[in-house]
Amino acid sequence: MEFGAFVNFFGAKDGLVHISQLAANRVQKTSDVVKEGDKVKVKLLGFDDRGKTRLSMKAVDQVTGEDLEAKQKIEAPREAAGE
């Protein structure tokens, strides 16, 4: 879809990765990042007001599966402390 990509997980479950959550940089077209059938790693962001699942690819390292947002939260206090 032009506004994002639907991802199936846990069998029959699916959720939306909004175009703004596909990559850290600005994405012009969803197909520039993902194609139908691609396997990707996602993070659950929550649920929208209609109960639909919201997902992010940019919050997860697509190679290792590491949660990048959690990593940034851990590193930020170290940088502030001068480590």
Side-chain angles (χ1 to χ4, degrees), residues 19-20 23-29 32-33:
I19 193 166
S20 66
N25 55 322
R26 183 172 167 80
V27 175
Q28 294 295 327
K29 295 188 317 186
D32 291 341
V33 180

Side-chain angles (χ1 to χ4, degrees), residues 68-83:
L68 299 175
E69 290 179 340
K71 183 178 179 180
Q72 288 174 348
K73 289 177 185 175
I74 292 170
E75 291 178 353
R78 288 184 186 163
E79 291 173 4
E83 289 184 26

Side-chain angles (χ1 to χ4, degrees), residues 5-67:
F6 287 99
V7 176
N8 289 83
F9 59 99
F10 296 132
K13 298 274 187 190
D14 68 340
L16 176 67
V17 179
H18 188 268
I19 193 166
S20 66
Q21 292 294 321
L22 289 173
N25 55 322
R26 183 172 167 80
V27 175
Q28 294 295 327
K29 295 188 317 186
T30 303
S31 61
D32 291 341
V33 180
V34 292
K35 308 280 187 276
E36 187 173 342
D38 285 353
K39 293 189 183 288
V40 297
K41 294 172 176 56
V42 295
K43 177 179 180 177
L44 175 65
L45 297 178
F47 303 92
D48 69 13
D49 55 349
R50 296 174 298 172
K52 300 287 185 181
T53 305
R54 293 176 36 240
L55 304 169
S56 174
M57 284 176 52
K58 76 177 185 180
V60 180
D61 185 306
Q62 292 300 302
V63 175
T64 65
E66 183 178 18
D67 183 339

